[in-house]
């Protein structure tokens, strides 16, 4: 038992050195238990986070566990948190189904001395130590608008296809994109907002209905993985490729065929794999008490990040288009 | 279907009692079908008057297409409900088939015919398990399928391990979106549904197996005493339900080109399919099944939900609209059938 | 027709023990389960306080199960419990946030809303003669929409600490308020169903609705009341959840439905009505609740836990059928039909 572990440690250490001197700054002497709890297990986007997290966990001497509920329910996540608390995990990282319901359980965890790092979709600020925001909301709002607005008339009519009416992060993005649109494309109007409930089939039906009921719509912004795929599929099925432009955000694997077909011109996201790595770096640093709510830190070869009131912005939007999409697989 | 005919052909005794009420049953069934058609036409004309695009060929085509997957599941559900049973596990069976066939197609280029084979096997095996638990161990159907619902949905996670279907090969997409012939703009999924509907309609109304199903739903004891083999009929009914749910899963993955672990269960296909069957005039108390009504019910639901979008009803009220529609259709149907009984 | 009632009561009170065989088996299993988890799973037993504290994570299911048991005993089903729980909690939160009522008064109004929603279910079922399954399926869609509309984009959250204690707090740091509430409710329901005339009426209707009608019982009224009880308990569970989360969401009751049906049925209540006792349901609630918490702490994933729950339900009911020797499914149906329509059977057999 012992020797392989030591060997693994040695390899990990060597890897750590091989990626650069930065990793050496992080104290990885004590092996810690870190859990990553997505909204639900079984979706590619979260799986991409896991992929990155596993890589980073090796370097950072982390015993990594990826676990979550089978339905996108807060109750399911809370049950998982409770079990992690009982199992004395050192750090819990999570992307929340909704910001309010998870808070009491996470506060309980913090009271027990467990560090909480949220990523992707935030929880209440007092229920976590750090939040890794995918991209700054105003920038992402801009990217979402530009993914469509560049390719249509400035006075075009736009539809929004989101996940659910109370989805936190989608509402934040929609707010940001409306602000940007009002400032830069004042003549553009949003004629309808529909919801696909994050379900591929309901998103497709909603997409078809939008296009049928609003024939003057020339652009659909769908800031949700299932919604963007549904909207793109609807455009393709109705033979409107090129006439209606779809934008939004989704992982590259699911939209690849639509980007290549020209239904989607650009689609902003961020590198989910690298985000998963950053989550592990922040988890390690938070456990070491090496970062504070307002500080700057280095996360290996990912570069330097700044925490502001506990919020760490991961990156600028990464925009997929027909040229670059084949470089990304997640 | 043929096998069941020959096997149950010895039990002619059940036929007379069914035959007696056949005329009344047919009348009742037709009332429901006419009601649904009239209601759908009224909605079409009313909403079409406000927005003529609602009655455009293209829109009607998609309203029909969007109902295909649910109608396929609901046809299977109709069989089960006709025996006084219920099948909640259709949702994970549909999801499992969509994920398994989709991932195999995406990953190792499984040919479409192979996908049909896999769907058939999944549906048969899981349906048979349901059927055996119901018929052999005499566990109430709602409990059996509640239990297998959890177990089958677990299988989806185990198989997919978190990966999802993002794209299907051209043959699949053609099956899900193509038309029968260039000059005949009927989508292939609609044709599939029509074939399944015809088989179900024929089997329920004109074969001994169908009569055995209705006899069990009417009065299981009487059917048993009359020589209907209750156990094998029940098992077959759950097999049919499983196979149709699996077929729906395959059509789903071909039509949408995507499938995730929440396919089926996330949209509550189990509840929706029960609702559609009941809208169509199948009685939850068993003994009555209306295949054509089920498909019309699925269509009507699709028309209503699309109409809500055209009428600019806020999206949060869509599900309320669906609920209200279920209540109105089913309670009106009850009234009619009671009135029919009285006269 | 009196005869039927007598046989029912005789069967119900025949046992002198407070628990019958099924309930004793469940109790034994529960004891084994808790002991096994305490010994076998590190982190499961962490003082008696934390053990009792575990119940906070699943008792809202139990509260719903108590109300749902009454409906299932009448031979009905209530699929709208989840959306009633969500809507009741949202009504409470909106009264509190929007109209600045006291949180406890708002909670009362929320529970009252549940009663009204249940009454609507009951009226649809009894007046319009709709099957309970379809009626409550339809109203679950409608209540869900109303809940989403009321909750808006940012559903209320952050209730006063005194209210949050209901779901998260303990008396003297040891016994959770939720547990006290559940025990009181469980005793009340147990007495109601086994010792009161009302309870006997409910069981009688579920056992044989026709006979109940002919014996002069006001069947629709009793049935309607069962749905009022179910709605009230669902809304109460919603409010406990709101306190546990210190937040409300329209979809927060969605997960209640399938699990609570499982609990009621595992507790020995026949899904066809007319048979079963609250004591069994209470055992099943604790058994399944502790199982889920224990398995998660042991490191099993949510997926495995869900699958195991399904398997336990099937095995338990299968064993129950084999042991009782007559089954609860079609075998029971046969039995009942034989007893009932004795005339019809030979006729068909000719």
């Amino acid at each position: 038992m012992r020797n392989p572990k030591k060997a693994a440690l040695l390899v990990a250490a060597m890897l750590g050195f091989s990626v650069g001197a930065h990793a050496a700054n992080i104290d990885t002497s004590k092996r810690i238990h870190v859990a990553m709890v997505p909204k639900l297990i079984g979706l590619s986007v979260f799986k991409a986070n896991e992929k990155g997290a596993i890589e980073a966990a090796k370097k950072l001497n982390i015993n990594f566990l990826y676990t979550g509920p089978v339905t996108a329910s807060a109750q399911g996540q809370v049950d998982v948190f409770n079990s992690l608390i009982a199992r004395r995990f050192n750090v819990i990282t999570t992307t929340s189904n909704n910001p309010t319901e998870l808070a009491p359980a996470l506060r309980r965890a913090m009271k027990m001395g467990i560090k909480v790092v949220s990523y992707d979709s935030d929880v209440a600020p007092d229920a976590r130590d750090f939040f890794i925001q995918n991209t700054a909301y105003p920038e992402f709002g801009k990217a979402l608008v530009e993914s469509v607005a560049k390719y249509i008339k400035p006075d075009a009519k736009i539809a929004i296809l989101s996940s659910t009416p109370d989805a936190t992060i989608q509402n934040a993005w929609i707010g940001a994109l409306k602000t940007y649109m009002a400032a830069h494309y004042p003549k553009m109007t949003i004629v309808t907002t529909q919801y696909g409930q994050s379900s591929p089939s309901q998103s497709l039906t909603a997409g078809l209905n939008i296009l049928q009921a609003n024939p003057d719509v020339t652009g659909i912004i769908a800031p949700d993985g299932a919604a963007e795929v549904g909207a793109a599929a609807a455009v393709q099925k109705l033979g409107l490729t090129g006439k209606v432009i779809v934008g939004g955000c989704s992982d590259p694997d699911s939209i690849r065929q639509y980007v290549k077909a020209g239904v989607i011109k650009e689609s902003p996201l961020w590198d989910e794999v690298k985000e998963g790595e950053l989550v592990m770096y922040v988890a390690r640093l938070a456990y070491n008490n090496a970062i504070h709510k307002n500080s700057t830190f280095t996360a290996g070869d990912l570069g330097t990040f700044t925490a502001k009131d506990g919020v760490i912005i991961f990156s600028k939007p990464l925009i997929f288009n027909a040229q670059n999409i084949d470089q990304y697989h997640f | 279907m043929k096998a069941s005919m020959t096997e149950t052909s010895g039990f002619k005794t059940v036929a007379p009692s069914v035959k007696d009420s056949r005329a009344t049953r047919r009348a009742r069934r037709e009332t429901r079908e006419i009601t649904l058609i009239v209601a759908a036409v009224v909605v079409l004309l009313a909403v079409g008057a406000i927005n003529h695009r609602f009655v455009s060929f293209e829109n009607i085509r998609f309203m029909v297409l969007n109902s295909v997957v649910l109608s396929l599941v609901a046809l299977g559900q109709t069989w089960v409900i006709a025996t006084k049973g219920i099948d909640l596990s259709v949702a994970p069976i549909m999801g499992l088939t969509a994920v398994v066939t989709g991932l195999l197609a995406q990953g190792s280029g499984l040919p479409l015919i192979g996908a049909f084979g896999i769907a058939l096997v999944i549906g048969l095996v899981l349906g048979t398990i349901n059927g055996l638990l119901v018929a052999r161990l005499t566990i109430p159907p709602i409990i059996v399928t509640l239990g297998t619902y959890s177990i089958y949905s677990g299988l989806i996670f185990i198989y997919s391990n978190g990966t999802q279907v993002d794209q299907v090969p051209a043959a699949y997409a053609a099956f899900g979106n193509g038309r029968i012939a260039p000059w005949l703009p009927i989508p292939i999924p609609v044709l599939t549904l029509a074939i399944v509907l015809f088989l179900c309609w024929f089997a329920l109304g004109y074969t001994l197996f169908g009569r055995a199903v209705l006899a069990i739903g009417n009065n299981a004891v009487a059917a048993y005493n009359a020589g209907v083999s209750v156990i094998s009929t029940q098992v077959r009914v759950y097999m049919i339900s499983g196979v149709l749910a699996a077929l729906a899963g395959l059509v789903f993955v071909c039509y949408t080109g995507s499938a995730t672990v929440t396919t089926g269960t996330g949209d509550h296909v189990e509840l929706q399919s029960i609702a559609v069957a009941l809208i169509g005039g199948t009685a939850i108390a068993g003994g009555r099944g209306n295949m054509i009504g089920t498909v019309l019910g699925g269509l009507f639901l699709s028309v209503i939900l699309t109409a809500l979008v055209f009428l600019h009803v806020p999206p949060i009220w869509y599900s309320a609209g669906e609920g209200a529609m279920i209540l109105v259709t089913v309670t009106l149907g009850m009234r009619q059938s009671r009135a029919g009984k009285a006269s | 027709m009196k005869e039927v009632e007598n046989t029912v009561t005789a069967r119900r009170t025949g046992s002198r023990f407070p628990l019958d065989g099924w309930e004793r088996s469940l109790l034994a299993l529960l004891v084994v389960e808790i002991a096994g988890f305490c010994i076998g799973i590190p982190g499961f037993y962490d003082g008696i306080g934390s053990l009792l504290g575990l119940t906070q994570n699943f008792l809202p299911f139990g509260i719903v199960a108590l109300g749902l048991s009454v409906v299932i005993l009448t031979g009905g089903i209530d699929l709208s419990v989840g959306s009633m729980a969500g809507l009741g909690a949202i009504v409470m939160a909106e009264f509190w946030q929007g109209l600045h009522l006291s949180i406890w008064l708002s909670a009362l109004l929320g529970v009252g809303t549940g009663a009204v929603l249940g009454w609507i279910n009951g009226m649809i079922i009894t007046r319009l003669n709709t099957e309970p399954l379809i009626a409550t399926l339809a109203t679950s869609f409608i209540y869900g929409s109303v809940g989403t509309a009321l909750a808006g984009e940012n559903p209320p959250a952050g209730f006063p600490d005194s209210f949050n204690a209901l779901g998260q707090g303990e008396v003297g740091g040891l016994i959770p308020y939720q547990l006290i509430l559940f025990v009181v409710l469980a005793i009340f329901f147990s007495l109601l169903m086994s010792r009161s005339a009302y309870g006997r009426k409910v069981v009688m209707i579920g056992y044989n609705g026709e006979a109940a009608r002919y014996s002069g019982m006001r069947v629709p009224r009793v049935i309607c009341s069962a749905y009022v009880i179910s709605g009230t308990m669902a809304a109460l569970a919603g409010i406990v959840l709101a306190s546990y989360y210190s937040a409300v969401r329209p979809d927060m009751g969605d997960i209640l439905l399938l699990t609570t049906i499982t609990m009621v049925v595992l507790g020995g209540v026949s899904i066809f009505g007319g048979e079963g006792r609250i004591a069994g349901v209470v055992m099943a609630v604790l058994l399944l609740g502790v199982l889920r918490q224990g398995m998660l702490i042991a490191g099993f994933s949510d997926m495995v836990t869900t699958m195991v729950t399904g398997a336990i339900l099937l095995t338990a009911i299968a064993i129950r059928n084999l042991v009782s020797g007559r089954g609860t499914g079609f075998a029971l149906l046969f039995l009942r039909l034989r007893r009932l329509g004795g005339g019809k059977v030979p006729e068909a057999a000719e």
Side-chain angles (χ1 to χ4, degrees):
Chain A
M1 263 320 267
R2 265 192 159 181
N3 283 343
K5 243 186 189 170
K6 262 189 185 165
L9 265 177
L10 206 68
V11 171
M14 279 160 68
L15 270 171
F17 281 112
S18 70
V19 293
H22 299 302
N25 300 335
I26 300 169
D27 173 17
T28 57
S29 55
K30 190 170 177 287
R31 190 158 181 83
I32 59 171
H33 292 262
V34 178
M36 183 177 236
V37 185
K39 292 180 187 181
L40 80 161
I41 50 172
L43 286 188
S44 304
V45 202
F46 302 130
K47 200 81 184 156
N49 293 144
E50 184 202 4
K51 198 170 144 196
I54 290 174
E55 282 306 308
K58 278 185 208 149
K59 294 180 207 163
L60 296 167
N61 197 16
I62 286 172
N63 212 334
F64 175 74
L65 176 72
Y66 179 76
T67 182
V70 287
T71 52
S73 79
Q75 171 86 41
Q77 280 188 304
V78 168
D79 278 346
V80 171
F81 292 152
N82 287 333
S83 71
L84 296 172
I85 296 170
R87 291 163 74 188
R88 304 260 146 76
F89 266 68
N90 303 102
V91 186
I92 295 175
T93 67
T94 184
T95 166
S96 69
N97 276 304
N98 68 62
T100 48
E101 279 185 83
L102 302 185
L106 291 175
R107 280 190 208 113
R108 217 158 38 237
M110 289 170 74
K111 225 189 273 171
M112 306 276 292
I114 298 170
K115 297 285 178 191
V116 176
V117 177
S118 64
Y119 62 95
D120 183 47
S121 197
D122 199 7
V123 296
D126 64 333
R128 44 89 174 147
D129 295 284
F130 294 98
F131 168 49
I132 299 168
Q133 196 173 76
N134 306 314
T135 61
Y137 293 149
E139 266 189 84
F140 203 70
K142 174 186 170 189
L144 283 172
V145 173
E146 291 295 347
S147 69
V148 168
K150 265 193 253 170
Y151 304 95
I152 53 179
K153 287 188 209 136
D155 60 344
K157 291 190 165 51
I158 300 262
I160 290 178
L161 181 55
S162 184
S163 54
T164 59
D166 57 4
T168 325
I169 195 161
Q170 268 78 19
N171 285 343
W173 287 337
I174 291 172
L177 78 85
K178 280 181 177 163
T179 313
Y180 180 82
M181 196 184 278
H184 294 82
Y185 296 92
K187 284 186 182 158
M188 235 173 232
T189 45
I190 295 169
V191 291
T192 179
T193 303
Q194 299 283 329
Y195 302 97
Q197 314 293 337
S198 291
S199 141
S201 60
Q202 291 185 43
S203 299
L204 170 61
T205 310
L208 288 168
N209 286 339
I210 287 175
L211 295 166
Q212 298 281 1
N214 306 283
D216 45 359
V217 161
T218 50
I220 301 179
I221 301 179
D224 166 67
E228 187 177 20
V229 174
V235 167
Q236 206 171 45
K237 282 187 199 303
L238 284 165
L240 293 170
T241 307
K243 295 189 186 102
V244 177
I245 303 297
V246 176
C249 64
S250 191
D251 55 301
D253 281 350
S254 22
I255 53 169
R256 194 178 313 277
Q257 55 173 319
Y258 301 108
V259 173
K260 290 192 170 162
V263 181
I264 297 170
K265 300 281 186 198
E266 351 183 300
S267 181
L269 195 76
W270 51 89
D271 193 324
E272 298 274 4
V273 181
K274 286 202 172 136
E275 189 186 30
E277 287 183 45
L278 178 65
V279 171
M280 285 305 113
Y281 274 101
V282 174
R284 179 84 230 185
L285 291 165
Y287 174 80
N288 293 353
N289 283 321
I291 48 171
H292 311 288
K293 294 262 178 191
N294 291 293
S295 63
T296 302
F297 63 96
T298 307
D301 51 351
L302 294 173
T304 305
F305 296 88
T306 309
K308 206 174 164 191
D309 293 331
V311 178
I312 299 156
I313 292 173
F314 165 59
S315 80
K316 289 197 181 313
L318 165 63
I319 292 165
F320 301 120
N321 54 34
Q323 280 76 48
N324 73 357
I325 194 160
D326 278 337
Q327 298 163 21
Y328 298 93
H329 295 275
F330 58 87
Chain B
M1 301 299 139
K2 259 195 179 153
S4 64
M5 266 179 76
T6 48
E7 267 194 53
T8 46
S9 61
F11 312 121
K12 286 232 167 105
T13 36
V14 71
S17 66
V18 177
K19 237 177 203 166
D20 292 338
S21 60
R22 212 204 218 166
T24 49
R25 184 176 301 118
R26 174 173 294 166
R28 199 192 291 149
R29 198 191 288 153
E30 280 170 2
T31 342
R32 175 59 64 98
E33 286 152 14
I34 291 164
T35 316
L36 282 172
I37 292 172
V38 168
V41 169
V42 168
V43 173
L44 277 173
L45 291 180
V47 182
I50 298 167
N51 185 339
H52 67 96
R53 279 181 63 89
F54 188 69
V55 286
S56 70
F57 173 75
E58 191 80 316
N59 192 46
I60 290 174
R61 189 165 78 97
F62 276 106
M63 286 195 287
V64 177
L65 255 176
N66 287 337
S67 76
V68 168
V69 170
L70 184 56
S71 292
L72 280 173
V73 180
L75 282 174
Q77 192 72 258
T78 306
W79 279 106
V80 175
I81 296 179
T83 64
K84 210 170 181 164
I86 201 153
D87 191 350
L88 299 176
S89 69
V90 286
I93 293 179
M94 174 187 151
L96 183 66
T97 314
V99 167
V100 170
T101 55
L103 283 180
L104 284 174
Q106 185 176 266
S108 47
L110 173 81
L112 187 58
I113 187 79
F116 271 101
I118 287 172
L120 189 70
V121 170
I122 292 177
L124 277 181
V125 170
L126 299 188
T128 309
I129 293 174
N130 284 335
L132 288 176
L133 287 169
V134 170
R136 283 271 169 205
L137 294 179
T138 63
I139 308 174
I142 191 168
I143 299 176
V144 166
T145 54
L146 190 62
T148 51
Y149 181 99
S150 313
I151 298 171
Y152 297 168
S153 11
L155 295 180
I156 308 179
F157 283 90
I158 292 174
Y159 184 83
S160 74
N161 189 27
T163 48
Q164 64 190 38
V165 183
D166 296 316
Q167 190 171 8
V168 289
Y172 288 67
F175 174 70
N177 297 291
R179 41 180 64 177
I180 300 171
W183 43 270
L184 196 62
I186 296 176
I188 296 176
V190 175
L191 177 73
T192 314
L193 177 65
I195 294 169
V196 172
L197 169 63
F198 175 77
L199 291 176
C200 288
W201 169 79
F202 181 78
L204 185 69
Y206 298 94
T207 65
L208 284 166
F209 171 67
R211 288 177 196 181
V213 166
L214 294 177
I216 290 172
N218 260 322
N219 186 339
V221 178
Y224 177 78
N225 286 337
V228 172
S229 82
V230 175
I231 290 180
S232 73
T233 309
Q234 276 187 320
V235 173
R236 285 201 194 110
V237 160
Y238 286 89
M239 284 161 78
I240 294 175
S241 173
V243 167
L244 290 185
L247 179 63
L250 181 58
V251 172
F252 177 89
V253 80
C254 293
Y255 177 56
T256 63
S258 64
T260 65
V261 285
T262 56
T263 297
T265 51
D267 297 334
H268 289 295
V269 165
E270 72 286 0
L271 297 180
Q272 303 269 8
S273 65
I274 295 167
V276 165
L278 299 186
I279 291 170
T282 298
I284 195 86
R288 215 167 84 202
N290 186 342
M291 296 298 173
I292 297 176
T294 297
V295 172
L296 287 175
L299 258 176
F300 188 49
L301 184 63
S302 175
V303 168
I304 292 282
L305 289 178
T306 313
L308 293 177
V309 181
F310 274 76
L311 295 173
H312 297 286
V313 175
I316 34 176
W317 295 106
Y318 292 170
S319 81
E322 183 176 352
M325 191 204 100
I326 295 171
L327 268 188
V328 170
T329 350
V330 174
T331 50
L332 278 185
M334 293 275 191
R335 289 267 150 108
Q336 273 170 6
S337 69
R338 259 202 308 269
K341 240 184 233 170
S343 61
Chain C
M1 292 308 138
K2 269 271 180 273
E3 272 174 36
V4 181
E5 193 175 23
N6 284 343
T7 53
V8 174
T9 37
R11 204 166 48 82
R12 304 233 67 46
T13 53
S15 160
R16 302 239 165 127
F17 297 103
L19 303 174
D20 73 4
W22 183 250
E23 287 142 21
R24 275 191 298 243
S25 329
L26 288 177
L27 181 64
L29 264 177
L30 180 65
V31 171
V32 171
E33 180 186 76
I34 294 177
F37 281 179
C38 285
I39 298 164
I41 302 173
F44 182 81
Y45 183 80
D46 190 19
I48 194 80
S50 86
L51 192 61
L52 292 175
L54 277 184
T55 59
Q56 289 177 335
N57 304 328
F58 61 81
L59 281 183
F61 289 89
I63 296 173
V64 177
L66 291 177
L68 191 59
S69 301
V70 181
V71 165
I72 294 184
L73 279 169
T74 67
I77 188 109
D78 189 346
L79 300 183
S80 66
V81 284
S83 49
M84 289 194 291
L87 185 49
I90 285 165
V91 166
M92 174 203 77
E94 292 298 334
F95 271 121
W96 171 74
Q97 197 184 48
L99 299 178
H100 304 291
L101 294 185
S102 115
I103 187 79
W104 294 107
L105 180 61
S106 310
L108 208 61
L109 290 168
V111 176
T113 307
V116 173
L117 299 176
W119 179 78
I120 295 174
N121 284 340
M123 289 314 269
I124 293 172
I125 290 160
T126 54
R127 288 289 160 87
L128 300 179
N129 238 349
T130 315
E131 285 289 339
L133 184 113
I134 195 71
T136 54
L137 177 62
T139 55
S140 78
F141 288 140
I142 297 173
Y143 298 162
S145 268
V146 176
T148 315
L150 274 179
E153 283 190 4
N154 287 306
F159 303 118
D161 282 342
S162 64
F163 174 72
N164 292 344
L166 173 66
Q168 306 171 24
E170 298 97 10
V171 178
L174 195 66
I175 305 169
Y177 287 105
Q178 274 199 42
L179 189 61
I180 297 172
L181 177 69
F182 181 71
V183 168
V184 170
L185 287 171
I187 293 172
F188 171 76
F189 271 87
S190 190
L191 292 177
L192 180 74
M193 297 319 289
S194 63
R195 292 277 179 270
S196 76
Y198 175 79
R200 289 183 189 181
K201 281 183 191 166
V202 166
V203 172
M204 169 87 179
I205 288 170
Y207 192 71
N208 189 334
E210 284 298 298
R213 188 168 293 123
Y214 287 127
S215 69
M217 220 177 265
R218 291 210 240 176
V219 175
R221 184 184 274 198
V222 178
I223 289 183
C224 194
S225 71
Y227 289 89
V228 172
I229 291 175
S230 169
T232 313
M233 297 312 283
L236 181 60
I239 281 158
V240 173
L241 279 176
S243 149
Y244 176 73
Y245 292 130
S246 189
V248 295
R249 307 286 293 192
D251 60 353
M252 71 183 192
D254 285 4
I255 33 138
L256 292 169
L257 179 65
L258 294 184
T259 314
T260 46
I261 296 179
T262 308
M263 285 168 168
V264 172
V265 171
L266 185 65
V269 175
S270 160
I271 196 81
F272 301 117
E275 192 188 338
R277 306 196 323 169
I278 298 296
V281 176
V282 173
M283 298 295 159
V285 166
L286 296 174
L287 191 71
L288 286 184
V290 171
L291 178 81
R292 182 175 162 78
Q293 301 300 319
M295 285 190 65
L296 286 171
I297 292 174
F300 290 103
S301 68
D302 188 24
M303 177 199 81
V304 176
T305 312
T306 310
M307 288 178 84
V308 167
T309 310
I312 286 181
L313 175 71
L314 288 176
T315 326
I317 302 299
I319 290 174
R320 186 179 154 86
N321 286 359
L322 294 176
V323 169
S324 69
R326 54 180 185 143
T328 56
F330 271 90
L332 179 66
L333 199 70
F334 282 22
L335 209 75
R336 210 184 278 175
L337 287 169
R338 260 196 203 119
R339 203 181 289 156
L340 236 168
K344 268 187 184 171
V345 178
E347 196 181 305
E350 287 301 318

